[in-house]
Amino acid sequence: MLVQDRPSPHAAAAGQKPSASPRGAPGADRRHPRPFAKNLDFATWASEHSSKLLLLLVVVASAAAVFLLRGAAPDAAALLCLDRSARAGSGAPAKLPYPDVAWSKVPPLAIAAGSPFASFRAERWIVVAVSSPPTAALAALARVKGWQLLAVGDSRTPSGWELKGAIFLSLELQAQLGYRSVDFLPYGSHVRKTAGYLFAVQHGAKVIFDADDRAEVPGNDLGKHFDVDLGSGVTNHPVLLQYSHADPNRTVVNPYVHFGQRSVWPRGMPLDKVGEVGHEAFYTEVFSGRQFIQQGLSDGLPDVDAVFYFTRKPPTSAFDLRFDSEAPKVALPQGMMAPVNSFNTLFQSPAFWGLMMPVSVSSMAADVIRGYWSQRILWEIGGYVAFYPPTIYRKDHIQSYPFAEEKDLHVNVGRLIKFLNEWRSNKRSLFEKILDLSYAMAEEGFWTEQDVRLTAAWLQDLLAVGYRQPRLMSLEIDRQRATIGEGDMKEFVPKKLPSVHLGVDEIGTVNYEIGNLIKWRKNFGNVVMIMHVSGPVDRTALEWRLLYGRIFKTVIILADQSNAELAVERCTLSHAYKYLPKVFERYGGADGFIFLQDHMILNYWNLLQANKEKLWITNKIAHSWITVPLESNKEEWFVKQGAMVKQVVGNSPVHFQTNYKESMSEDKIAFCGSELFYVPRRFVEDFGDLVSLVGDLDLHHKIAVPMFFLAMDSPQNFDSEALAGTVFKTQLPANATFSTIYTTQAPAVFPVKVMNEIDFIKVIRLMSAGDPLLMELV
């Protein structure tokens, strides 16, 4: 076997050759002691030691059972289970087995003489995955001059799939190719393209265009859009613009900004970075010829994630975005990354190893994780990724984006980028470094052991079909970077093309077919929602943004613990009011700010008549707003809070004192859950002044907010009717659930508990009675 378990430390120390184990199964090379046998006459021994005969038979039977078990499982599955069970029982963490590959002993894989396409060779290949009948776009790809289209099928592909000019690899044909990595590929997934990449390499590929079945190449000429022939690149394109490496802490960039779309971000972009929309202060330059991975942009429907897709347009309208076709291509320096996908990317031969699609991650995350993985290894051979103006057009079929398939991507991508920038390896060949990185990524939880074994199989397959490893080069990021002089700085100011922002076109075009959604959006489109999430943010933060991001200007997520990857800001609920001025300052042009806790659901469609120039709070809701007497109050907490209220009011300017004392006597304080309230623009400064008056006092959110409202204005000036119909239950009745108290007629409903995606889907289905378009989210 070429892939084996790492030898045990004891065996290695003693110079012993490790015993081969079936498929490298952990524990398959264990030794079992044999009983020491003496040269005795058995009859004599039996007559003299009859009492020991039974014990001997038991020992022999036990040993036989062990050897039978070992021999009965040639694939080591049984032993693997036993080994894992033993580890689990011992409580020790399981160590991932490291594949031991004999690179120099990988035998070549010849193409069988009688196999289909045995004699066919081509240097330029287009590889697509197909799970439906041939499309018009595919037929056009098959006619691209000078390129061979390879369609890779899976279990969903219709039988008898055929397209003139295309080579089709069915599941049956894939199984006959003899590639080790095919055994790891799921049957019903586009990641089976991995088999297609190997087929193309084996049949002479020098360039592979990784595409999908709806890519339309303008002019049917890929050579006009990509640098297909890098051999002449220095002559035709002596230099490329390159993002500046001046800031070593900048490790990821949104290339869509460079091509004129500031409000759009690619799938796989860390969400905490999507707000970085400013153009580059300056670029540098790099010599052309080593852009071994070339990522094209897509007009129409670009590569965007589900968060963007659901929140940046009405659900029944199609995206038709345009990027700047005249913007110059731009390269990424070492230390900087960007998302790379699998449906509009050109791979040159030195980067063919980077085509492998991981199988242990969700399908919508596989190509993006592959892209970051391959970018890091690309630095080891002195290569880089370059982004190109629109190279294809993709039509938006208005299909639901599987948000759940992206979840792991959003949670882990920021950590992955940081890990890849810090990773180093002392391995001496490229393939050894690739396997080393795959193993390290499994140890860090970015993918599993399955992808480590796939990597080993994939690299052996590449060697078997004749691929030669590129030569290693020293890392630029480990060398002293050259100082960027004024003459090295190159300027380019991107255009600001028409785009979309939360469902409304920036140029003012409105889709009148979505009447209610547009009406709500017009009403609340310049109102910022600030939401405090008490549930697990890694399972709910993005869902809340999907729900309310369609309606409000933006949704700021606060929680007791921050999460930079999900753009969650740290703020304890007991002092949430102290954080609000920071958000107010950030959105100086907003009409107002609505605060909401995740235990309350907001039926925004019932708030169209609310006055956005007035304060809203649940002061008309029993059990939500109560007046607490302080005289003879035996609860120490209320007494202390009352003392702080008195101190703040006493130090307040005359207008705050007057308003407050007109509504509340000194021997009482207002207590409000403050789960939901609204502060219009004209009261933002007052709110901030009151927070400053509180200072470091430990005044609780439920005491501070009602005090602020009474100090800012008289309750008779509140729009108390806005939230007057709120359903508010301090406790749910026995055997009751949220669905039993929820109604679409109320402006808000409390309480609800959303801890995961399933809870979120239940809430969405209830709310869809008031907003039917919400069903597009589930």
Side-chain angles (χ1 to χ4, degrees):
M1 295 296 293
L2 294 171
V3 182
Q4 301 170 337
D5 281 341
R6 192 189 289 272
S8 68
H10 301 294
Q16 299 173 0
K17 183 178 179 179
S19 58
S21 58
R23 296 190 182 180
D29 60 346
R30 292 177 178 151
R31 295 174 175 82
H32 300 274
R34 297 183 180 183
F36 182 77
K38 295 181 180 180
N39 187 18
L40 296 174
D41 177 73
F42 182 78
T44 303
W45 181 88
S47 62
E48 295 177 354
H49 303 282
S50 58
S51 62
K52 300 179 181 178
L53 179 59
L54 181 60
L55 178 60
L56 176 62
L57 290 175
V58 171
V59 171
V60 172
S62 300
V66 171
F67 283 102
L68 284 174
L69 177 60
R70 184 179 183 183
D75 63 353
L79 289 174
L80 183 59
C81 294
L82 287 172
D83 183 59
R84 288 178 174 171
S85 298
R87 290 179 181 179
S90 67
K95 175 72 173 176
L96 291 178
Y98 193 101
D100 185 10
V101 183
W103 303 106
S104 61
K105 298 181 180 179
V106 177
L109 180 62
I111 304 174
S115 64
F117 320 109
S119 61
F120 182 80
R121 296 291 185 277
E123 292 187 353
R124 300 177 178 181
W125 290 76
I126 302 173
V127 179
V128 300
V130 293
S131 57
S132 57
T135 62
L138 265 184
L141 282 178
R143 295 192 296 270
V144 175
K145 187 177 180 180
W147 293 76
Q148 176 58 52
L149 177 63
L150 176 63
V152 183
D154 59 34
S155 61
R156 303 164 297 176
T157 309
S159 59
W161 196 98
E162 186 177 0
L163 177 63
K164 183 179 179 180
I167 293 176
F168 174 59
L169 291 185
S170 64
L171 284 176
E172 293 77 10
L173 187 53
Q174 294 171 41
Q176 298 169 15
L177 296 175
Y179 305 146
R180 297 169 176 82
S181 48
V182 168
D183 292 340
F184 295 89
L185 307 180
Y187 286 103
S189 171
H190 70 277
V191 303
R192 295 198 71 85
K193 291 171 79 174
T194 296
Y197 305 140
L198 287 168
F199 183 91
V201 174
Q202 191 173 24
H203 288 261
K206 298 289 182 61
V207 183
I208 293 177
F209 179 50
D210 204 7
D212 73 355
D213 60 358
R214 52 178 166 174
E216 301 175 12
V217 180
N220 269 10
D221 188 354
L222 285 170
K224 288 184 178 180
H225 307 287
F226 289 106
D227 291 322
V228 176
D229 186 3
L230 290 183
S232 60
V234 175
T235 302
N236 298 332
H237 308 284
V239 292
L240 298 179
L241 276 189
Q242 184 182 55
Y243 285 100
S244 168
H245 60 260
D247 181 2
N249 295 318
R250 190 184 184 198
T251 57
V252 65
V253 66
N254 178 2
Y256 289 178
V257 176
H258 176 86
F259 294 96
Q261 289 290 359
R262 298 183 305 152
S263 65
V264 188
W265 65 85
R267 178 172 51 96
M269 187 75 182
L271 291 180
D272 60 317
K273 302 296 183 183
V274 300
E276 298 178 0
V277 298
H279 67 78
E280 301 298 305
F282 61 90
Y283 296 81
T284 57
E285 289 182 331
V286 64
F287 283 111
S288 180
R290 302 194 71 83
Q291 59 269 40
F292 299 144
I293 299 179
Q294 302 171 22
Q295 176 67 69
L297 271 64
S298 306
D299 277 341
L301 176 63
D303 184 23
V304 295
D305 58 27
V307 175
F308 182 92
Y309 190 82
F310 280 126
T311 62
R312 270 16 185 215
K313 72 175 185 63
T316 59
S317 65
F319 271 121
D320 193 15
L321 291 174
R322 292 293 188 276
F323 291 97
D324 182 7
S325 61
E326 297 178 354
K329 66 194 82 167
V330 60
L332 301 180
Q334 289 190 17
M336 184 178 292
M337 296 181 169
V340 170
N341 60 50
S342 64
F343 58 74
N344 186 21
T345 312
L346 193 82
F347 284 76
Q348 296 282 347
S349 175
F352 280 173
W353 45 264
L355 284 160
M356 183 199 82
M357 298 276 273
V359 296
S360 66
V361 299
S362 59
S363 60
M364 293 298 290
D367 59 340
V368 174
I369 292 177
R370 175 192 77 172
Y372 284 121
W373 169 77
S374 59
Q375 285 177 75
R376 176 58 187 86
I377 294 296
L378 204 57
W379 303 344
E380 301 287 344
I381 59 172
Y384 55 84
V385 173
F387 285 80
Y388 288 69
T391 53
I392 65 171
Y393 179 87
R394 293 178 77 236
K395 186 175 181 180
D396 183 5
H397 298 314
I398 319 181
Q399 297 173 335
S400 296
Y401 266 42
F403 172 75
E405 285 290 299
E406 296 180 356
K407 192 67 179 296
D408 292 336
L409 182 62
H410 292 302
V411 171
N412 288 320
V413 67
R415 188 169 66 91
L416 174 61
I417 293 169
K418 182 178 185 294
F419 164 79
L420 291 172
N421 269 279
E422 296 174 351
W423 176 81
R424 298 292 186 275
S425 173
N426 58 5
K427 300 297 183 180
R428 296 186 177 182
S429 73
L430 178 65
F431 279 13
E432 288 178 319
K433 284 182 180 287
I434 293 173
L435 186 57
D436 198 37
L437 176 57
S438 292
Y439 183 83
M441 286 176 61
E443 285 191 312
E444 292 294 324
F446 297 115
W447 56 32
T448 71
E449 178 190 345
Q450 188 178 13
D451 280 313
V452 180
R453 296 191 293 138
L454 170 61
T455 304
W458 160 259
L459 296 175
Q460 290 178 87
D461 284 336
L462 282 175
L463 293 176
V465 299
Y467 183 76
R468 293 186 177 181
Q469 301 184 50
R471 184 171 57 89
L472 291 174
M473 299 180 69
S474 60
L475 284 174
E476 291 181 12
I477 53 175
D478 287 345
R479 302 198 300 262
Q480 181 69 36
R481 294 283 183 110
T483 303
I484 301 175
E486 188 171 338
D488 300 320
M489 299 179 183
K490 306 300 176 182
E491 289 188 2
F492 171 73
V493 179
K495 295 180 180 179
K496 295 181 180 179
L497 299 180
S499 186
V500 291
H501 181 69
L502 291 176
V504 178
D505 288 346
E506 290 178 356
I507 58 174
T509 302
V510 178
N511 187 337
Y512 292 100
E513 297 177 1
I514 317 296
N516 281 338
L517 183 62
I518 297 304
K519 190 190 309 179
W520 302 329
R521 176 62 197 173
K522 281 184 176 180
N523 193 66
F524 296 110
N526 202 31
V527 173
V528 174
M529 173 174 278
I530 306 169
M531 189 171 194
H532 193 282
V533 175
S534 58
V537 293
D538 60 328
R539 306 190 69 182
T540 59
L542 295 178
E543 283 84 348
W544 290 124
R545 282 200 180 95
L546 283 174
L547 172 58
Y548 294 120
R550 302 158 60 250
I551 308 299
F552 295 93
K553 179 181 180 70
T554 191
V555 179
I556 304 297
I557 302 292
L558 309 178
D560 288 344
Q561 297 296 327
S562 64
N563 188 317
E565 294 172 354
L566 297 176
V568 175
E569 303 174 39
R570 184 179 182 277
C571 169
T572 58
L573 180 57
S574 60
H575 295 92
Y577 66 94
K578 292 186 177 182
Y579 195 85
L580 302 191
K582 297 180 182 179
V583 181
F584 296 165
E585 183 178 357
R586 198 182 309 166
Y587 295 92
D591 293 339
F593 301 84
I594 191 163
F595 179 87
L596 180 69
Q597 294 181 32
D598 64 344
H599 290 317
M600 180 172 278
I601 291 298
L602 183 68
N603 292 337
Y604 40 82
W605 53 85
N606 292 322
L607 293 172
L608 291 178
Q609 304 306 317
N611 191 332
K612 291 187 294 180
E613 294 297 316
K614 294 186 175 184
L615 294 164
W616 316 343
I617 197 166
T618 53
N619 61 311
K620 295 291 186 181
I621 307 300
H623 305 298
S624 177
W625 179 295
I626 60 175
T627 300
V628 179
L630 296 177
E631 189 175 346
S632 69
N633 194 314
K634 296 182 179 180
E635 293 192 34
E636 184 181 357
W637 186 84
F638 279 115
V639 173
K640 289 183 177 180
Q641 292 291 312
M644 285 185 278
V645 168
K646 185 175 181 179
Q647 179 180 340
V648 173
V649 172
N651 293 331
S652 297
V654 61
H655 59 289
F656 288 152
Q657 284 199 41
T658 302
N659 287 337
Y660 183 82
K661 291 179 178 179
E662 285 179 354
S663 304
M664 188 65 58
S665 60
E666 291 188 2
D667 60 343
K668 297 178 182 179
I669 58 172
F671 175 91
C672 179
S674 305
E675 298 88 359
L676 171 62
F677 58 85
Y678 171 78
V679 180
R681 163 57 52 190
R682 68 191 186 98
F683 286 107
V684 160
E685 185 176 355
D686 287 350
F687 196 101
D689 290 343
L690 287 163
V691 170
S692 297
L693 287 169
V694 172
D696 295 331
L697 292 177
D698 190 20
L699 191 63
H700 198 279
H701 182 78
K702 296 180 179 181
I703 302 296
V705 172
M707 185 200 77
F708 286 7
F709 270 60
L710 295 178
M712 288 188 292
D713 205 357
S714 171
Q716 65 184 12
N717 294 328
F718 295 175
D719 188 354
S720 299
E721 295 304 314
L723 304 176
T726 296
V727 174
F728 192 94
K729 305 288 185 182
T730 53
Q731 286 186 336
L732 289 178
N735 300 322
T737 63
F738 179 71
S739 62
T740 61
I741 66 169
Y742 179 80
T743 171
T744 59
Q745 305 304 312
V749 183
F750 175 92
V752 64
K753 189 175 184 180
V754 178
M755 303 298 290
N756 50 47
E757 296 90 340
I758 296 176
D759 294 341
F760 179 75
I761 290 172
K762 291 178 181 177
V763 170
I764 289 296
R765 287 174 176 164
L766 290 172
M767 295 180 68
S768 65
D771 180 2
L773 294 177
L774 284 175
M775 289 304 293
E776 297 290 331
L777 300 182
V778 298

